[in-house]
Amino acid sequence: MSEEGAVVVLSGGQDSTTCLFWAKQKFPGEIEAITFDYGQRHRIELESAGRVASIAKVPHKTLPINTFNTLGGNALTGDIDVSSELDSESGLPNTFVPGRNLIFLTFAAAYAYQRKISNLVTGVAQTDYSGYPDCRQETIESLQRSICLGMEYDIQIHAPLMWLSKKETVEMAHSAGALEAMAYTHTCYNGEQPPCGDCPSCKIRAKGFAEAGIDDPLITRFHGFKNA
Ligand code: ZN
């Protein structure tokens, strides 16, 4: 419980898992993981998050926020298929859940406040992604300022993947010791396990591992090593 600990927002995916292990190396104090049950269609994400936290040996809490599916309109909480086309009006993919990261980080900050922890870690990134506006550096900086003002509390939001390519993120996972946990992460937009290999999320993940020259432990868990 100190300035030197951190709360990591853990979705159970590749990026937040990398961030969790990064935080364990970076901060000397206690690291805690929180996961939001926001009504995601793929409940496997919640199981993945629990598994990852236990491999990382950090305390883990799942907090319910089941309002997003009432709002509707996106493929991750509603009954809509993931589309590879961008919306003609917003220019965003239909996997965009408006406000999601803003809400997550605000709740995470409230949690950190109660625990007297001043660092928050999020896996958002501006590079290589679908252009979600709530993953931008500018959004995160602005949100940090709002939280500090609104809670009169000194919170620092760390987004270590912000400027990394997917290849560099895989390299970070490797050097932070996250690969064992990576075998239990869930990234597939279609909620499939083994992953479908075909959705935008699976493709980005596969490309990152291929470019880093590292076998994806999730894939090897299901299909064995490539050269075995
Ligand atoms: Zn997939």
Side-chain angles (χ1 to χ4, degrees), residues 29-209:
E30 187 175 5
I31 305 299
E32 300 192 29
I34 55 171
T35 298
F36 294 101
D37 180 353
Y38 64 96
Q40 53 271 67
R41 275 203 292 177
H42 306 318
R43 312 302 291 170
I44 185 178
E45 288 179 15
L46 302 174
E47 279 168 41
S48 293
R51 189 82 183 252
V52 165
S54 93
I55 293 172
K57 299 189 175 65
V58 300
H60 178 229
K61 256 206 164 42
T62 300
L63 304 179
I65 320 179
N66 48 12
T67 307
F68 287 108
N69 38 12
T70 310
L71 299 173
N74 72 81
L76 296 190
T77 63
D79 193 16
I80 301 174
D81 286 334
V82 172
S83 164
S84 52
E85 305 288 316
L86 301 180
D87 182 89
S88 56
E89 263 175 55
S90 68
L92 290 167
N94 74 352
T95 49
F96 177 56
V97 183
R100 179 173 56 171
N101 283 317
L102 305 178
I103 304 282
F104 284 5
L105 286 166
T106 303
F107 273 119
Y111 181 78
Y113 180 102
Q114 301 293 358
R115 312 279 296 148
K116 299 188 169 42
I117 292 173
S118 58
N119 296 294
L120 288 187
V121 183
T122 169
V124 299
Q126 198 163 324
T127 36
D128 253 13
Y129 286 82
S130 322
Y132 295 157
D134 57 350
C135 294
R136 281 183 292 200
Q137 172 79 13
E138 203 183 343
T139 304
I140 299 299
E141 281 170 5
S142 155
L143 181 62
Q144 173 177 303
R145 181 165 156 69
S146 294
I147 289 171
C148 288
L149 284 171
M151 295 188 188
E152 192 69 47
Y153 185 64
D154 189 17
I155 279 280
Q156 208 181 342
I157 304 179
H158 304 264
L161 311 184
M162 183 60 78
W163 305 108
L164 301 188
S165 67
K166 215 60 180 176
K167 168 180 182 264
E168 290 166 325
T169 299
V170 171
E171 288 165 349
M172 180 191 274
H174 180 249
S175 64
L179 289 186
E180 184 196 345
M182 204 57 73
Y184 299 94
T185 55
H186 180 78
T187 313
C188 178
Y189 276 155
N190 287 321
E192 292 181 21
Q193 199 174 44
C196 78
D198 219 30
C199 70
S201 184
C202 280
K203 283 184 174 157
I204 289 174
R205 176 170 174 145
K207 185 167 173 277
F209 274 94

